[in-house]
Short mmCIF file of all heavy atoms in Angstrom, two decimals:
data_model
loop_
_atom_site.label_atom_id
_atom_site.label_comp_id
_atom_site.label_asym_id
_atom_site.label_seq_id
_atom_site.Cartn_x
_atom_site.Cartn_y
_atom_site.Cartn_z
N ALA A 1368 109.82 122.73 90.39
CA ALA A 1368 109.24 124.05 90.11
C ALA A 1368 108.17 124.41 91.13
O ALA A 1368 108.04 125.57 91.53
CB ALA A 1368 108.66 124.08 88.70
N GLU A 1369 107.40 123.41 91.56
CA GLU A 1369 106.34 123.65 92.55
C GLU A 1369 106.95 124.00 93.91
O GLU A 1369 106.47 124.91 94.60
CB GLU A 1369 105.46 122.41 92.66
CG GLU A 1369 104.29 122.55 93.61
CD GLU A 1369 103.45 121.29 93.65
OE1 GLU A 1369 103.09 120.79 92.56
OE2 GLU A 1369 103.16 120.80 94.76
N ILE A 1370 108.01 123.28 94.29
CA ILE A 1370 108.68 123.56 95.56
C ILE A 1370 109.30 124.96 95.52
O ILE A 1370 109.20 125.73 96.48
CB ILE A 1370 109.77 122.51 95.84
CG1 ILE A 1370 109.16 121.11 95.95
CG2 ILE A 1370 110.54 122.85 97.11
CD1 ILE A 1370 110.18 119.99 96.03
N GLU A 1371 109.93 125.28 94.39
CA GLU A 1371 110.56 126.59 94.22
C GLU A 1371 109.55 127.72 94.38
O GLU A 1371 109.79 128.70 95.09
CB GLU A 1371 111.21 126.63 92.84
CG GLU A 1371 112.16 127.77 92.60
CD GLU A 1371 112.86 127.62 91.27
OE1 GLU A 1371 113.62 126.63 91.10
OE2 GLU A 1371 112.65 128.49 90.40
N GLU A 1372 108.39 127.57 93.75
CA GLU A 1372 107.35 128.58 93.84
C GLU A 1372 106.82 128.68 95.27
O GLU A 1372 106.54 129.78 95.77
CB GLU A 1372 106.22 128.26 92.87
CG GLU A 1372 105.03 129.22 92.95
CD GLU A 1372 105.43 130.66 92.69
OE1 GLU A 1372 106.42 130.89 91.95
OE2 GLU A 1372 104.76 131.56 93.23
N ASP A 1373 106.72 127.54 95.94
CA ASP A 1373 106.25 127.52 97.33
C ASP A 1373 107.21 128.30 98.23
O ASP A 1373 106.79 129.08 99.11
CB ASP A 1373 106.12 126.07 97.80
CG ASP A 1373 105.26 125.93 99.05
OD1 ASP A 1373 104.87 126.96 99.63
OD2 ASP A 1373 104.98 124.78 99.44
N ILE A 1374 108.52 128.10 98.03
CA ILE A 1374 109.51 128.81 98.85
C ILE A 1374 109.44 130.31 98.58
O ILE A 1374 109.50 131.13 99.51
CB ILE A 1374 110.93 128.27 98.57
CG1 ILE A 1374 111.03 126.80 99.01
CG2 ILE A 1374 111.98 129.11 99.30
CD1 ILE A 1374 112.31 126.12 98.58
N ARG A 1375 109.32 130.68 97.30
CA ARG A 1375 109.24 132.10 96.97
C ARG A 1375 108.02 132.76 97.63
O ARG A 1375 108.10 133.88 98.12
CB ARG A 1375 109.15 132.28 95.44
CG ARG A 1375 110.47 132.10 94.72
CD ARG A 1375 110.45 132.79 93.36
NE ARG A 1375 111.78 132.70 92.76
CZ ARG A 1375 112.17 131.75 91.92
NH1 ARG A 1375 111.31 130.81 91.59
NH2 ARG A 1375 113.38 131.74 91.44
N ARG A 1376 106.92 132.03 97.62
CA ARG A 1376 105.68 132.60 98.15
C ARG A 1376 105.65 132.60 99.68
O ARG A 1376 105.34 133.62 100.30
CB ARG A 1376 104.48 131.82 97.60
CG ARG A 1376 103.13 132.23 98.18
CD ARG A 1376 102.02 131.35 97.61
NE ARG A 1376 102.32 129.95 97.77
CZ ARG A 1376 102.16 129.28 98.91
NH1 ARG A 1376 101.70 129.89 99.99
NH2 ARG A 1376 102.44 127.99 98.98
N SER A 1377 105.97 131.45 100.28
CA SER A 1377 105.75 131.29 101.72
C SER A 1377 106.96 131.65 102.58
O SER A 1377 106.83 131.80 103.79
CB SER A 1377 105.32 129.85 102.03
OG SER A 1377 106.37 128.95 101.75
N VAL A 1378 108.13 131.79 101.97
CA VAL A 1378 109.33 132.13 102.74
C VAL A 1378 109.89 133.48 102.29
O VAL A 1378 109.88 134.45 103.04
CB VAL A 1378 110.40 131.03 102.61
CG1 VAL A 1378 111.65 131.43 103.41
CG2 VAL A 1378 109.87 129.70 103.12
N LEU A 1379 110.35 133.56 101.05
CA LEU A 1379 110.98 134.79 100.58
C LEU A 1379 109.98 135.90 100.36
O LEU A 1379 110.34 137.08 100.35
CB LEU A 1379 111.75 134.51 99.28
CG LEU A 1379 112.84 133.43 99.37
CD1 LEU A 1379 113.61 133.35 98.06
CD2 LEU A 1379 113.79 133.69 100.52
N GLY A 1380 108.72 135.55 100.19
CA GLY A 1380 107.70 136.56 99.95
C GLY A 1380 107.14 137.19 101.20
O GLY A 1380 106.33 138.13 101.13
N GLU A 1381 107.55 136.70 102.37
CA GLU A 1381 107.05 137.25 103.62
C GLU A 1381 107.66 138.63 103.90
O GLU A 1381 108.83 138.86 103.57
CB GLU A 1381 107.39 136.31 104.78
CG GLU A 1381 106.51 135.08 104.84
CD GLU A 1381 105.08 135.43 105.18
OE1 GLU A 1381 104.84 136.00 106.26
OE2 GLU A 1381 104.20 135.16 104.36
N PRO A 1382 106.91 139.53 104.52
CA PRO A 1382 107.44 140.87 104.83
C PRO A 1382 108.72 140.84 105.66
O PRO A 1382 109.59 141.69 105.49
CB PRO A 1382 106.29 141.54 105.59
CG PRO A 1382 105.07 140.82 105.13
CD PRO A 1382 105.50 139.41 104.89
N ALA A 1383 108.84 139.85 106.56
CA ALA A 1383 110.00 139.79 107.44
C ALA A 1383 111.20 139.09 106.80
O ALA A 1383 112.28 139.02 107.39
CB ALA A 1383 109.63 139.07 108.74
N ALA A 1384 111.03 138.57 105.58
CA ALA A 1384 112.10 137.83 104.92
C ALA A 1384 113.22 138.78 104.48
O ALA A 1384 112.96 139.92 104.12
CB ALA A 1384 111.56 137.07 103.72
N PRO A 1385 114.48 138.31 104.51
CA PRO A 1385 115.58 139.14 104.03
C PRO A 1385 115.39 139.50 102.56
O PRO A 1385 114.98 138.66 101.75
CB PRO A 1385 116.81 138.25 104.22
CG PRO A 1385 116.40 137.22 105.22
CD PRO A 1385 114.95 137.00 105.00
N ALA A 1386 115.69 140.74 102.21
CA ALA A 1386 115.56 141.19 100.81
C ALA A 1386 116.76 140.73 100.00
O ALA A 1386 117.83 140.44 100.54
CB ALA A 1386 115.42 142.71 100.78
N GLY A 1387 116.57 140.66 98.69
CA GLY A 1387 117.68 140.38 97.79
C GLY A 1387 118.07 138.93 97.67
O GLY A 1387 119.16 138.61 97.20
N LEU A 1388 117.20 138.02 98.06
CA LEU A 1388 117.50 136.60 97.96
C LEU A 1388 116.67 135.96 96.85
O LEU A 1388 115.56 136.37 96.57
CB LEU A 1388 117.20 135.88 99.29
CG LEU A 1388 118.01 136.33 100.51
CD1 LEU A 1388 117.61 135.50 101.73
CD2 LEU A 1388 119.50 136.22 100.25
N ASP A 1389 117.25 134.93 96.24
CA ASP A 1389 116.52 134.17 95.23
C ASP A 1389 116.71 132.69 95.51
O ASP A 1389 117.62 132.29 96.27
CB ASP A 1389 117.01 134.51 93.82
CG ASP A 1389 116.05 134.00 92.74
OD1 ASP A 1389 114.86 133.77 93.08
OD2 ASP A 1389 116.47 133.82 91.60
#
Side-chain angles (χ1 to χ4, degrees):
E1369 183 179 311
I1370 299 172
E1371 193 173 297
E1372 177 58 29
D1373 197 353
I1374 296 171
R1375 283 202 175 94
R1376 175 182 53 79
S1377 65
V1378 179
L1379 302 185
E1381 284 293 300
L1388 298 181
D1389 194 21

